C-alpha cells in the first residue's frame, strides 16, 4: 500500500498476507532410509498459532514428513522460518523426491514450494544407506541412571570416517528425542561397525532408537521395536527434608531416575505421598530428581510415608510394571505375562481349575498396596469370564522366596458377582481395638501399610480352567528396601 506523503494518513485499513516460502533444504542428498531434514524459509505456522487454526504440513511425493521424536507438541514447525521433519524412506536406486509444504490458517492455504520448485526437491541415494542390525541392551537396569548400548550394523559412520577421530564419526543417536553420548566406534565382523552409546535421562516408557549419520541420513531398522529401549521410573528416596507436617505444605526433593521431565516433551508425572497428591512437581533436567509440595493427609501417622511416582489414575498409582509374573504355568509358557501386560484382549489360562498367579518385585524393592484392579476374560473370548475367577482372592507377603514361603496376608476377596469389565477392589485395612475420647469410643487409626514383596491371585473352586485377562496393582513402590 503506497500513500503519497502529501496526502497524510490513508483512511480505512489494509491486510498484509505473508505467503509461506521455502528457500533451502538441508540435507538435500541422503540414503534410502530417509533423513531428518531442515527447511528454511518464511511464513511457517505452528499448530498453536492463531488460536490453533494454523498448521504446516510437509510431504515427500505425497508421503508425510513427520516431526522427529520429542518435538514440542509433535509439530514439525520450530519457528516461522524453520521446519524440521523426518523424510520417509525410499530404499532403491537414485531417485528424486518432490517436497510439498502447505501452510493453512485463517481460511488461507499457502503452497510454500510453488508446485515443486527446484529448491523443494531431495535426492535419495541407496548406496549411502546405513542399517542397524541389532543392539545389545533393550532396558535400563533398575536403579541405574544410565546404560551403555552397543549398536551393530553397516555404514554406521559418515563416509570417510576415521575410527580414531571422533569428530569424523558423524553419529547422532537418540531415544524418545533425548540425545545419547557416542562413546566409541570399532570395526565388527563382515565389514560392519559397532557404535557404543550412553543413554542418560531417557524418560519412563519404551522409545525407539533414532540413529542418524551425517551425509547418510537415518539408518534403516528392520523390526525397530526389537531395538527399542524400555525405561521404568524408579525412586531412590526422599533427599530433603526427612520429616514433614501431616497438614501438608512441605517441599520435598526426591531422587530417582527415568522420571519424565518437561524438556523431554513428555508429560510430567503425578506424585503421591501416603496416597495424597504431591503438587507443583518440578523435575530436574535428565529426570534424576524432582521436587513437589505435600498435601494434607487423610490419616495421621508417625510412620514413614509411602511415596510413588508414575501414571496416576482415579484409584491411585498403577505400579504393575515394577513386578514380574510367576506362578502356576499357563496353558502355554508365555501366558503368565498376559495377565499383567495391560491388554484385556490377551489372557492367562491355567492348566487346571486351580491357579496361583504371582506378581513378584525384584530384590531391594517392595510396595505398599492400596487396591487391586481385575478384568475377567472379555465376552469376545468367552462370555463366562467372571465364572473363572469365582471364589478367588489376592494375598500378599512381605517375604521374598518362592511357593508357599510367607507368611501370607489376605488382601482382597473377589465377589461372586464379579462384573464382566474392570473392577477395583480396595485392600482391607484391619483396625484393632478402640480408643476412648470425649466423643466416646472411636476406632483406632489403621496401622502403617506393610511393604509387600510378592502378591498372588488364588482361585481354587472355578468350574473350569482358571482364566483372567488382566490384574493391575495400585500402590506405591519403595526402592532399596533391605531385609527379606
Amino acid at each position: 500500500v503506497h500513500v503519497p506523503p502529501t496526502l497524510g494518513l490513508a483512511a480505512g485499513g489494509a491486510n498484509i498476507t505473508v505467503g509461506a516460502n521455502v528457500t533451502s533444504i538441508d540435507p538435500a542428498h541422503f540414503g534410502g532410509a530417509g533423513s531428518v531434514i531442515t527447511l528454511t524459509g518464511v511464513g511457517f505456522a505452528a499448530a498453536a498459532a492463531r488460536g490453533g487454526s494454523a498448521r504446516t504440513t510437509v510431504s515427500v511425493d505425497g508421503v508425510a514428513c513427520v516431526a522427529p521424536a520429542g518435538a514440542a507438541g509433535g509439530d514439525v514447525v520450530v519457528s516461522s522460518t524453520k521446519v524440521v521433519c523426518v523424510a520417509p524412506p525410499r530404499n532403491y536406486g537414485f531417485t528424486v523426491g518432490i517436497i510439498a509444504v502447505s501452510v493453512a490458517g485463517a481460511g488461507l492455504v499457502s503452497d510454500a514450494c510453488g508446485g515443486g520448485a527446484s529448491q523443494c526437491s531431495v535426492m535419495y541415494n541407496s548406496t549411502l544407506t546405513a542399517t542397524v542390525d541389532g543392539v545389545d541392551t533393550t532396558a535400563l537396569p533398575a536403579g541405574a541412571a544410565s546404560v551403555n548400548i552397543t549398536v551393530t550394523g553397516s555404514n554406521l559412520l559418515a563416509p570417510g570416517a576415521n575410527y580414531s577421530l571422533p569428530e569424523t564419526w558423524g553419529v547422532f543417536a537418540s531415544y524418545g528425542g533425548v540425545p545419547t553420548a557416542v562413546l566409541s566406534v570399532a570395526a565388527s565382523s563382515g565389514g560392519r561397525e559397532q557404535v557404543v552409546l550412553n543413554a542418560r535421562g531417557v524418560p519412563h516408557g519404551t522409545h525407539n532408537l533414532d540413529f542418524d549419520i551425517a551425509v547418510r541420513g537415518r539408518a534403516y531398522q528392520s523390526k525397530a521395536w526389537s531395538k527399542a529401549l524400555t525405561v521404568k521410573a524408579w525412586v531412590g528416596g526422599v533427599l530433603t527434608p526427612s520429616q514433614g507436617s501431616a497438614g501438608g505444605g512441605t517441599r520435598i526433593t526426591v531422587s530417582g531416575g527415568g522420571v519424565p521431565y518437561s524438556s523431554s516433551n513428555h508429560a510430567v508425572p503425578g506424585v503421591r505421598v501416603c496416597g495424597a497428591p504431591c503438587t507443583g512437581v518440578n523435575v530436574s533436567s535428565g529426570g534424576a530428581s524432582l521436587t513437589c509440595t505435600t498435601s494434607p493427609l487423610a490419616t495421621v501417622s508417625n510412620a514413614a510415608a509411602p511415596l510413588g511416582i508414575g501414571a496416576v489414575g482415579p484409584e491411585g498409582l498403577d505400579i504393575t510394571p515394577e513386578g514380574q509374573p510367576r506362578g502356576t504355568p499357563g496353558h502355554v509358557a508365555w501366558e503368565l505375562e498376559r495377565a499383567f501386560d495391560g491388554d484385556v484382549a490377551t489372557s492367562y489360562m491355567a492348566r487346571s481349575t486351580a491357579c496361583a498367579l504371582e506378581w513378584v518385585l525384584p530384590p531391594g524393592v517392595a510396595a505398599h498396596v492400596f487396591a487391586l484392579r481385575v478384568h475377567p476374560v472379555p465376552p469376545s473370548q468367552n462370555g463366562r469370564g467372571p465364572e473363572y475367577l469365582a471364589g478367588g482372592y489376592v494375598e500378599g507377603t512381605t517375604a521374598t522366596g518362592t511357593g508357599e514361603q510367607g507368611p501370607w496376608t489376605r488382601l482382597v476377596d473377589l465377589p461372586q458377582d464379579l462384573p464382566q469389565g474392570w473392577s477395583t477392589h480396595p485392600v482391607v485395612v484391619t483396625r484393632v481395638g478402640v480408643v476412648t475420647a470425649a466423643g466416646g469410643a472411636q476406632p483406632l487409626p489403621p496401622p502403617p501399610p506393610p511393604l509387600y514383596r510378592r502378591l498372588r491371585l488364588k482361585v481354587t473352586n472355578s468350574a473350569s480352567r482358571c482364566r483372567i485377562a488382566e490384574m493391575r496393582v495400585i500402590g506405591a513402590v519403595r526402592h532399596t528396601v533391605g531385609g527379606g
Side-chain angles (χ1 to χ4, degrees):
V1 177
H2 174 69
V3 180
T6 55
L7 297 182
L9 296 175
N15 292 325
I16 301 176
T17 301
V18 178
N21 185 52
V22 174
T23 57
S24 66
I25 299 175
D26 184 40
H29 184 197
F30 41 80
S35 177
V36 176
I37 59 175
T38 299
L39 287 73
T40 303
V42 295
F44 304 134
R50 303 181 190 174
S53 63
R55 187 182 179 210
T56 298
T57 57
V58 184
S59 63
V60 181
D61 287 342
V63 180
C65 191
V66 299
D75 201 340
V76 297
V77 175
V78 176
S79 69
S80 62
T81 60
K82 183 178 180 180
V83 165
V84 177
C85 64
V86 183
R90 184 185 296 172
N91 201 14
Y92 52 87
F94 293 82
T95 58
V96 175
I98 301 301
I99 293 181
V101 181
S102 175
V103 181
L108 301 174
V109 177
S110 175
D111 180 0
C113 273
S118 58
Q119 74 269 24
C120 283
S121 63
V122 292
M123 171 64 77
Y124 287 84
N125 180 353
S126 62
T127 65
L128 294 173
T129 304
T131 301
V132 171
D133 297 327
V135 297
D136 69 343
T137 302
T138 58
L140 181 74
S146 67
V147 62
N148 289 350
I149 301 168
T150 300
V151 181
T152 304
S154 57
N155 291 334
L156 296 185
L157 305 180
N162 186 319
Y163 291 151
S164 303
L165 300 175
E167 63 271 21
T168 68
W169 297 345
V171 175
F172 311 93
S174 62
Y175 286 96
V178 179
T180 66
V182 183
L183 302 183
S184 64
V185 301
S188 183
S189 60
R192 300 184 303 167
E193 294 102 9
Q194 285 188 339
V195 178
V196 180
L197 308 175
N198 178 263
R200 176 183 292 273
V202 180
H204 181 89
T206 299
H207 309 278
N208 286 340
L209 168 64
D210 290 328
F211 199 97
D212 299 292
I213 308 105
V215 181
R216 300 188 185 280
R218 178 144 295 183
Y220 170 77
Q221 298 181 54
S222 175
K223 298 181 180 178
W225 54 267
S226 66
K227 304 169 185 67
L229 180 69
T230 297
V231 176
K232 293 182 179 180
W234 57 276
V235 179
V238 177
L239 297 176
T240 56
S242 59
Q243 301 182 56
S245 168
T250 303
R251 191 72 178 172
I252 63 174
T253 300
V254 181
S255 66
V259 182
Y261 51 100
S262 56
S263 62
S264 66
N265 295 312
H266 294 269
V268 172
V271 180
R272 288 176 178 257
V273 177
C274 261
C278 200
T279 61
V281 178
N282 182 39
V283 184
S284 67
S285 178
S289 66
L290 62 83
T291 57
C292 62
T293 302
T294 60
S295 297
L297 303 181
T299 301
V300 178
S301 171
N302 290 327
L307 181 146
I309 296 176
V312 176
E315 301 83 16
L317 195 71
D318 186 342
I319 60 173
T320 312
E322 294 277 354
Q324 298 293 327
R326 193 168 66 191
T328 308
H331 187 58
V332 292
W334 62 84
E335 283 191 347
L336 278 170
E337 300 178 1
R338 292 182 175 181
F340 302 100
D341 63 2
D343 184 0
V344 298
T346 64
S347 62
Y348 159 82
M349 180 171 66
R351 296 176 181 176
S352 66
T353 58
C355 66
L357 184 62
E358 288 193 35
W359 177 78
V360 183
L361 288 166
V365 182
H368 300 285
V369 180
F370 306 141
L372 279 300
R373 300 193 74 213
V374 296
H375 194 301
V377 291
S380 59
Q381 297 181 37
N382 194 304
R384 299 184 301 151
E387 290 185 23
Y388 300 134
L389 300 176
Y393 57 91
V394 178
E395 54 187 4
T397 180
T398 58
T400 57
T402 60
E404 293 298 321
Q405 186 173 347
W408 292 90
T409 302
R410 185 79 68 97
L411 303 180
V412 167
D413 287 299
L414 300 180
Q416 292 290 337
D417 58 347
L418 192 69
Q420 185 70 255
W422 283 106
S423 58
T424 302
H425 308 274
V427 168
V428 175
V429 178
T430 303
R431 293 177 170 86
V432 181
V434 296
V435 293
T436 302
Q442 300 291 328
L444 285 172
L451 284 165
Y452 292 104
R453 309 295 188 101
R454 300 154 59 202
L455 300 181
R456 67 181 180 187
L457 167 68
K458 296 197 75 173
V459 180
T460 57
N461 67 341
S462 178
S464 183
R465 289 178 178 176
C466 171
R467 293 185 66 180
I468 183 172
E470 196 67 29
M471 185 170 89
R472 309 300 290 179
V473 183
I474 307 300
V477 170
R478 297 291 293 273
H479 289 262
T480 62
V481 176

